[in-house]
């Protein structure tokens, strides 16, 4: 199945920029659309451009190895309907039509591709209704379409599933000075498929670009597997940081930053335990950014998840090791410290080995609420470190708590898995 992508506008409301190549949540708008369509079975793109943006868009498509065909509209002033018509000889009977300046999320694209005709939103949550193209529907087909409709039932999302029959309605109005896409669709009385409440946006202004960036980052947070501290403290900060950084750094760079801050916190134990605890908590907050950026920018990878998990283990071990070292522990207390370090490692190891053994995410399969996740442990360490001036007993108590909580969590994890006979 092929897709037509309309990119022949001049982006006048954005300062005559090439809107499809503007970055939102770490990826160009055009990349986001093409990648999501490609991942859902679209195998070729007919990209209609103007003479001004042809080279930069074609260079972009080559760089990312999309299968494409460039069609040039020499008269963009004739309207988006004319731009659409120029692609008529390059598609099969059934095809997708999307706008080069619209942003969609993965769920929207998956659902929309199962629709027919205009994909319409009866309850648009993310667009300005006054600026949106409204649609009135009769007998499941477009009756009227336009921004100024007084009576309407849904909003045009800029996403269509069409057949080549629609081009004959464009031919009927080719003699007009301006041919609007909405005029073609209205004449064709194409079907309407309603998809409501999913994320999509038409990016026409700098304000809408910022809004789309923020919303895509916020929607990247799924919440699955987060501990209490992440849900109620860390994510409130990390999501704001991700909004600022998503267009500036990669997920792996974010992982490295969190790792280096964590290592620095371990070294700080040699000089100031309270300050080390504070920096350790900061590293825990930063640890959420890589995943948020990866999901928002469509850069999730097995390598990234693996690297993050490995580096986290080094940080946790080194922090507890240096904390124990500077606390002048006796032999019994060192045994407690070893159980704390071992338990911290095993909490992660049990869930990662579950994924390796059963090819499924532990937190997707089980609603597991037992305390002791990494964010909760680090926050507990942070609080105790603040009171380390009271003496060694504070640190020994902390290590004992970590040892007990983590190892009990491992036992609870094993119990939960064993109870599910599907895996026994």
């Amino acid at each position: 199945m092929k897709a037509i992508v309309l990119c022949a506008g001049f982006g006048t409301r954005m300062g005559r920029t090439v809107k499809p190549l503007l970055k939102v949540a770490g990826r160009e708008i055009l990349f986001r659309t093409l990648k999501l369509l490609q991942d859902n079975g679209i195998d070729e793109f007919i990209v209609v451009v103007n003479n001004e943006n042809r080279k930069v868009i074609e260079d972009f498509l080559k760089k990312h190895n999309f299968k494409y065909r460039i069609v040039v509209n020499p008269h963009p002033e004739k309207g988006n309907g004319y731009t659409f018509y120029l692609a008529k000889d390059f598609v099969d009977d059934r095809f997708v039509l999307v706008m080069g300046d619209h942003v969609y999320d993965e769920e929207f694209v998956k659902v929309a591709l199962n629709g027919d005709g205009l994909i319409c939103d009866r309850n648009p949550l993310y667009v300005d209704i006054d600026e949106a193209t409204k649609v009135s529907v009769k007998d499941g087909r477009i009756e009227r379409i336009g921004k100024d409709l007084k009576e309407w039932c849904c909003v045009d999302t800029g996403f269509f599933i069409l057949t080549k029959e629609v081009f004959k309605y464009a031919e009927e109005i080719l003699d007009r000075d301006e041919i609007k896409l909405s005029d073609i669709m209205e004449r064709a009385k194409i079907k309407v498929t309603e998809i409501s409440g999913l994320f999509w946006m038409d990016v026409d202004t700098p304000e809408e670009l910022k809004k789309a960036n923020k919303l895509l980052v916020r929607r990247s947070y799924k919440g699955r597997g987060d501990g209490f501290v992440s849900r109620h403290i860390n994510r409130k900060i990390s999501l704001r940081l991700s909004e600022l950084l998503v267009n500036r750094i990669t997920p792996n760079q974010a992982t490295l930053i969190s790792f280096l801050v964590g290592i620095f916190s371990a070294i700080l134990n040699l000089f100031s335990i309270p300050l080390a605890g504070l920096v350790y908590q900061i590293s825990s907050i930063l640890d959420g950014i890589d995943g948020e950026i990866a999901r928002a920018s469509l850069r999730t990878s097995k390598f990234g998840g693996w690297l993050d998990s490995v580096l986290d283990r080094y940080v946790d071990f080194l922090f507890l090791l240096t904390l124990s070292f500077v606390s002048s522990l006796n032999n019994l207390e060192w045994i407690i410290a070893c159980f704390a370090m071992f338990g911290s490692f095993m909490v992660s190891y049990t869930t990662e080995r579950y994924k390796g053994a059963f090819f499924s995410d532990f937190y997707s399969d089980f609603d597991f609420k037992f305390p002791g996740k990494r964010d909760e442990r680090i926050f507990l360490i942070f609080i105790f470190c603040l009171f380390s001036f009271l003496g060694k007993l504070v640190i020994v108590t902390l290590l004992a708590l970590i040892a007990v909580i983590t190892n009990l969590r491992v036992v609870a994890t094993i119990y939960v898995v064993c109870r599910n006979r599907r895996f026994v």
Side-chain angles (χ1 to χ4, degrees), residues 1-7 30 33-34 37 42 44-49 69 71 80-100 104 158-160 162-164 166-167 181 185:
M1 194 173 182
K2 299 179 181 180
I4 296 174
V5 188
L6 303 188
C7 300
L30 183 59
T33 301
L34 270 55
L37 288 171
I42 304 302
E44 186 176 354
F45 302 97
I46 314 303
V47 184
V48 192
V49 300
R69 180 189 294 269
V71 177
N80 57 2
Y82 182 69
T83 299
F84 167 63
Y85 176 74
L86 292 175
K88 68 182 180 66
D89 295 328
F90 306 104
V91 292
D92 302 322
D93 184 55
R94 184 173 170 85
F95 61 92
V96 176
L97 168 64
V98 291
M99 309 298 112
Y104 308 98
F159 198 112
F160 301 79
L162 302 170
T163 64
K164 292 194 72 171
V166 72
F167 289 112
L181 186 63
M185 300 306 164

Side-chain angles (χ1 to χ4, degrees), residues 255-270:
T255 297
L256 182 59
I257 291 170
S258 172
F259 170 70
L260 293 176
V261 173
I263 294 297
F264 181 58
S265 72
I267 296 172
L268 280 176
N269 272 320
L270 303 174

